[in-house]
Amino acid sequence: MSRPLNRAESSPTATTARHLMFDDLEQLDQILAATSDMARDFVQGADDMDVTCRDFSAFDPSRPMPGQGCGTLDALRAAQEEILPLLAASIGPRYLGFVTGGTTPAALAGDWLTGAIDQNATGPEGSVTAAVEEQVINWLCEMAGLPHGRFDGVLTTGATVSNLLGLVAGRQWCGQQIGVDVDADGAGVLPGFEIFAASPHASMIKDLSVTGIGRNSFTKVATRPRTEETDITDLKAKLVASTARAKLVIASAGTVNATDFDDLIAIADLCAAYGAWLHVDAAFGMFAALDDRRAHLLAGLDRADSITSDGHKWLNVPYDCGIFLTRHISVLETCCRAFAPYLQTDAVGNMYINRGVENSRRFRALPLWLAMVAYGRGGFAGIVRANCDQAVDLAQWVRGHDRLELLADPKLNVTMFTGPGSDDDNCALLSRINATGKLFMTPTIYGGRFGFRAAFSNWRIQDHDMEIVRNAIDSVL
Ligand SMILES: Cc1ncc(COP(=O)(O)O)c(C=O)c1O
């Protein structure tokens, strides 16, 4: 049987590395100061950097790992030379791809602290992390306009995992309604399980595979003409026709292209009538609640059984931070509980280890908490309102442009448009736009046509950025 090496017996390489770490601990001030300088230069320089990097050939992924380390200050210098120049300025104001939030200074501070204090946020044993997460979840519910105390939840790695939890908890609840236990006996005990969705996000399709339900195993509901919204008449017809005894409806509050919102009241009525679990994907749309001009779009959200949202999108906290809320927290805890004698505690508080996929968990409530305390509800409302206005401004410019065409009126923070010529021409045009380095947009297909998608989700976008965006597009048209 092997016994642990003591210091004298350990290999010279291991001993040197240990010395390097203790040396580093002694010079922690210099290390943190150097890190802070690098981070400040990057964050402040993001306005002027090329928005994306398109050539990483200078970085060799196959280089062997060093046997002897060089210490943190030299490693930081290496990162400064080899990695930082090859990054995207996705925290900057003109990265309009996907739905990419930036990082507010408070959230950045919270994220740094999270790494420094390195808590394992599993539950209330010996640390306040669980109580902080509980407070943050209460505040998120308040921001979303959800009635006090009706929802509880957990912070996840992102909306993809939150959607997964919606499927898993919904399937368990469906089983409970008909007296079978999916958690204990597997999904095979369900006498038919039918999922209905009109415009499920790509992450939900992935989750259908991960849960063993199957990517193609959902009933596609029609959308209303020229929208991504659920057609209520079609949903009703499909629920009526269903012979499954377990049913789950996936609705959207803010689709990723057209930012369409389903009629959640009508869908909740149907779910109540046909005994279906209602999951709402509101990855960024949930924060429309902060804009009084758009809060009505979320009417009925309080009747969802589960809700997906994200902090790393519109709340501008660093990756990763997803949000899952449910009215049936005990159902989620049934599916996600992790039992082992060494995990038990009599400390009082929420066991977040039992609410999600992870056992060990980053204290991701802290960046959110810091940003919420630093900027308050008003700060987040300011981001949401400004981004929605920017989407409308770009749409107005496109509408008045003789070579560009708007694909849909923006309802929230995304503008979709296209250029002259064929889809291939426009695909090439998007590459030329992104190659200017002044902005970054992602492609989309909308109404059967190739288009450009500009998603505004960053707190740093200002009027002069909008001008740079317009000029860059014009320069390559
Ligand atoms: C509506 C919607 N749902 C889910 C996701 C997946 O989010 P994440 O990348 O945080 O897992 C996204 C991402 O854009 C989204 O827009």
Side-chain angles (χ1 to χ4, degrees):
M1 201 169 88
S2 65
R3 65 190 171 87
L5 288 177
N6 66 31
R7 201 160 166 178
E9 290 169 319
S10 59
S11 75
T13 309
T15 311
T16 316
R18 247 177 93 73
H19 283 153
L20 279 172
M21 290 171 203
F22 283 110
D23 290 348
D24 274 357
L25 191 59
E26 271 168 28
Q27 51 182 359
L28 197 59
D29 277 355
Q30 288 113 290
I31 289 172
L32 293 182
T35 312
S36 163
D37 286 350
M38 278 167 66
R40 183 205 50 222
D41 290 351
F42 189 86
V43 171
Q44 291 183 341
D47 281 8
D48 304 318
M49 281 167 64
D50 270 5
V51 175
T52 52
C53 172
R54 285 164 298 276
D55 178 7
F56 324 111
S57 51
F59 191 87
D60 176 9
S62 65
R63 192 177 75 182
M65 179 181 171
Q68 301 272 9
C70 57
T72 303
L73 286 171
D74 280 346
L76 281 170
R77 274 178 217 113
Q80 172 91 340
E81 276 171 27
E82 296 174 30
I83 298 179
L84 267 72
L86 307 182
L87 297 177
S90 47
I91 54 159
R94 278 170 275 108
Y95 189 97
L96 308 178
F98 315 102
V99 188
T100 305
T103 298
T104 58
L108 169 63
D111 201 62
W112 277 16
L113 268 179
T114 303
I117 61 181
D118 196 24
Q119 306 286 290
N120 187 356
T122 55
E125 181 64 55
S127 174
V128 75
T129 59
V132 177
E133 186 155 346
E134 187 179 341
Q135 187 174 75
V136 160
I137 285 169
N138 287 336
W139 289 353
L140 286 166
C141 290
E142 206 180 305
M143 281 167 88
L146 297 170
H148 180 72
R150 189 175 298 180
F151 285 80
D152 201 343
V154 62
L155 297 179
T156 66
T157 51
T160 304
V161 166
S162 299
N163 279 336
L164 181 85
L165 298 184
L167 286 180
V168 168
R171 185 169 61 179
Q172 176 68 12
W173 177 88
C174 286
Q176 288 175 358
Q177 306 315 298
I178 48 183
V180 297
D181 187 350
V182 175
D183 168 66
D185 302 319
V189 296
L190 283 175
F193 179 39
E194 190 166 355
I195 295 179
F196 303 83
S199 301
H201 185 263
S203 60
M204 188 57 98
I205 305 296
K206 179 201 281 201
D207 292 335
L208 286 172
S209 166
V210 173
T211 46
I213 295 166
R215 284 175 190 268
N216 301 327
S217 294
F218 74 97
T219 299
K220 175 84 177 75
V221 178
T223 49
R224 293 185 52 223
R226 288 174 302 283
T227 75
E228 293 172 336
E229 276 174 52
T230 301
D231 177 328
I232 301 297
T233 311
D234 190 54
L235 175 61
K236 182 171 181 185
K238 290 195 158 110
L239 283 166
V240 169
S242 173
T243 53
R245 287 177 64 204
K247 301 184 190 68
L248 187 151
V249 175
I250 298 166
S252 298
T255 54
V256 77
N257 278 320
T259 58
D260 280 325
F261 285 72
D262 281 335
D263 179 344
L264 296 177
I265 294 179
I267 296 180
D269 285 345
L270 287 176
C271 287
Y274 294 92
W277 173 280
L278 172 57
H279 176 77
V280 180
D281 184 346
F284 53 102
M286 187 166 93
F287 300 106
L290 294 170
D291 182 347
D292 47 16
R293 302 163 300 179
R294 294 178 171 82
H296 63 276
L297 296 169
L298 291 161
L301 184 68
D302 57 329
R303 293 176 60 196
D305 293 291
S306 55
I307 304 171
T308 281
S309 195
D310 250 333
H312 57 217
K313 292 189 167 70
W314 233 352
L315 298 187
N316 280 243
V317 298
Y319 295 104
D320 52 28
C321 182
I323 299 160
F324 179 73
L325 303 173
T326 178
R327 287 195 285 124
H328 312 270
I329 199 70
S330 61
V331 177
L332 179 70
E333 287 177 339
T334 299
C335 305
C336 296
R337 70 192 188 284
F339 178 79
Y342 83 101
L343 295 173
Q344 301 314 296
T345 173
D346 52 13
V348 176
N350 293 331
M351 285 293 282
Y352 288 100
I353 188 177
N354 292 340
R355 292 187 174 189
V357 176
E358 308 149 280
N359 272 14
S360 296
R361 304 174 67 244
R362 181 174 173 78
F363 184 22
R364 57 179 71 90
L366 187 58
L368 262 180
W369 188 90
L370 240 111
M372 286 165 149
V373 171
Y375 307 123
R377 181 188 173 89
F380 294 108
I383 303 176
V384 169
R385 288 182 71 96
N387 288 160
C388 290
D389 289 348
Q390 286 148 0
V392 170
D393 283 356
L394 185 66
Q396 263 164 11
W397 177 72
V398 168
R399 216 181 270 116
H401 202 291
D402 54 3
R403 307 206 62 210
L404 297 173
E405 186 190 338
L406 196 64
L407 290 178
D409 279 324
K411 294 163 196 93
L412 204 64
N413 59 332
V414 177
T415 310
M416 284 187 303
F417 60 108
T418 195
S422 66
D423 283 359
D424 285 347
D425 293 336
N426 283 308
C427 186
L429 175 58
L430 179 61
S431 300
R432 290 203 301 280
I433 293 172
N434 288 339
T436 65
K438 299 292 182 194
L439 74 152
F440 175 69
M441 294 185 292
T442 39
T444 193
I445 305 284
Y446 188 75
R449 296 177 64 194
F450 181 93
F452 324 135
R453 200 179 148 277
F456 297 88
S457 349
N458 191 300
W459 68 277
R460 283 170 66 163
I461 307 167
Q462 300 190 57
D463 288 349
H464 65 259
D465 294 300
M466 299 301 289
E467 198 182 328
I468 295 171
V469 164
R470 292 190 296 265
N471 290 342
I473 296 170
D474 266 339
S475 74
V476 292
L477 257 177

